[in-house]
Amino acid sequence: MAILTWLHTAYGDDLINGIRSSLPDETIYEWPGDVAHDEIDVAILFRMPPGFLKPFPNVKLISATGAGIDHYLLDPDFPRDVPLVRVVDHDFAARMADYVLCWTLFHHRDVPHFLKAQKERRWAYKIMRSASDVTVGMMGLGQMGRLTCERLAFLGYDVRAWSRSEHEIKGVRCYAGKDALPDFLRDTEILVNLLPLTAETRGILGKKTFDQMPHGGVLITAARGGHLVESDVLDALDSGRLSAATIDAFPVEPLPETHPFWTHPNIYVTPHCSSTASCATIVDTFAENVRRFRSGAPLLNEVDLAAGY
């Protein structure tokens, strides 16, 4: 029995050292390296190409290093009879809420107007709308979406939310199901996407959605690149259907240097950094799941493979 690790390089050696320290009795291999394929029964993987797990026939537990798991499920060779767990905690949701609040305020208060005026040395006075006059629509009501809605409502925004199933959140108007999507979009001025990526949500950020929003709306997406129809985003911005977009996740990452998103005047690119799990959270959650797996106890944050999250 042994553990295979393929970890995000952003943590340096802290993550692998933390895992080794928390699981001192485990044999742990780092990828790439000299790995005994038949020994591996647990894997913690950041990203891997399709078919990566095929040479590991004895894997019985797979762990993500964060909340997102869609890239595992898009692998046609992913072993769907093996439990998949992810890392979810309050701090992860709080960091996402911070990101969304930052960019909501950025667009609501029209920060680009004042930055442009400063460069031109113009005293460009502008009357600001109150938060209660601005409708923010949240797509996705998982842990991150729900907390973000609560914080937006606390700041006084007119908040609405849409998800697959019914929810109730104080101060938030909730919509559920495909039939309710047009009503949700009709008055949504700032559209925030925190949906999981599933077959149903792939490509949801496209022309059909944008055309149902008020003219001049704003998009903030910090979920998955597969939600985007990139050409539709550009068309919506160039036509004025959208006035701006903040995008944190892309179909191809890193975003290619020649990609038009980099230079579009109304697109704000961030490098898939909206929310990252802390090193301590990853280590503690993974180590606990390994201990539970070894003892036969219920796992933490096990993914419903049929639902896709």
Side-chain angles (χ1 to χ4, degrees):
M1 299 184 295
I3 295 172
L4 174 66
T5 66
W6 184 348
L7 305 175
H8 198 309
T9 58
Y11 298 95
D13 293 331
D14 292 343
L15 190 49
I16 186 61
N17 289 341
I19 291 172
R20 291 188 183 281
S21 177
S22 296
L23 297 168
D25 297 327
E26 294 281 347
T27 300
I28 299 174
Y29 294 97
E30 295 180 64
W31 184 268
D34 186 12
V35 177
H37 288 67
D38 291 343
E39 291 183 24
I40 303 300
D41 67 339
V42 176
I44 177 169
L45 308 170
F46 168 60
R47 290 288 171 95
M48 75 288 184
F52 174 78
L53 287 167
K54 289 180 71 174
F56 301 95
N58 298 317
V59 168
K60 300 294 188 295
L61 174 65
I62 301 166
S63 176
T65 58
I69 48 80
D70 50 275
H71 58 284
Y72 299 87
L73 303 186
L74 291 172
D75 181 353
D77 295 313
F78 184 83
R80 290 181 173 268
D81 58 335
V82 175
L84 173 64
V85 295
R86 59 182 184 158
V87 176
V88 180
D89 70 356
H90 180 75
D91 186 55
F92 193 80
R95 294 182 195 201
M96 179 61 79
D98 289 345
Y99 180 90
V100 173
L101 265 62
C102 167
W103 286 102
T104 298
L105 286 161
F106 178 90
H107 293 295
H108 159 215
R109 299 291 297 192
D110 201 0
V111 174
H113 166 83
F114 298 106
L115 293 177
K116 183 174 184 294
Q118 181 178 348
K119 284 185 178 180
E120 298 170 355
R121 302 186 184 188
R122 288 187 296 112
W123 190 258
Y125 189 85
K126 185 174 185 178
I127 296 174
M128 295 286 104
R129 299 165 66 196
S130 66
S132 61
D133 292 332
V134 179
T135 302
V136 181
M138 172 67 66
M139 301 177 82
L141 280 176
Q143 183 190 30
M144 292 183 287
R146 187 179 187 91
L147 178 62
T148 303
C149 279
E150 291 170 347
R151 293 193 175 181
L152 287 166
F154 179 79
L155 290 181
Y157 286 101
D158 176 18
V159 184
R160 56 184 55 201
W162 177 81
S163 60
R164 186 178 69 168
S165 56
E166 299 282 350
H167 289 264
E168 289 187 10
I169 303 174
K170 184 179 179 180
V172 178
R173 188 183 310 174
C174 294
Y175 299 77
K178 285 184 178 180
D179 293 343
L181 185 57
D183 288 341
F184 162 78
L185 292 170
R186 186 171 296 115
D187 297 316
T188 294
E189 300 169 77
I190 299 177
L191 178 65
V192 180
N193 173 45
L194 294 182
L195 286 166
L197 182 61
T198 66
E200 290 75 24
T201 64
R202 179 171 293 279
I204 196 169
L205 300 180
K207 184 179 188 302
K208 184 177 180 181
T209 292
F210 304 145
D211 284 351
Q212 295 179 81
M213 294 172 60
H215 193 81
V218 170
L219 171 66
I220 300 172
T221 178
R224 287 290 179 261
H227 291 126
L228 286 173
V229 181
E230 293 182 311
S231 59
D232 287 359
V233 174
L234 292 168
D235 289 346
L237 288 165
D238 292 342
S239 69
R241 168 57 67 186
L242 292 178
S243 63
T246 295
I247 305 174
D248 186 57
F250 307 87
V252 176
E253 295 182 356
L255 190 65
E257 291 183 9
T258 57
H259 200 287
F261 281 3
W262 284 117
T263 54
H264 197 286
N266 296 321
I267 292 180
Y268 302 89
V269 170
T270 58
H272 208 146
C273 63
S274 53
S275 183
T276 54
S278 70
C279 183
T281 297
I282 298 172
V283 169
D284 292 346
T285 303
F286 176 64
E288 178 61 20
N289 265 329
V290 171
R291 287 189 285 266
R292 288 174 177 238
F293 170 70
R294 298 288 186 223
S295 66
L299 299 169
L300 299 174
N301 308 320
E302 185 170 355
V303 174
D304 181 339
L305 296 180
Y309 54 89

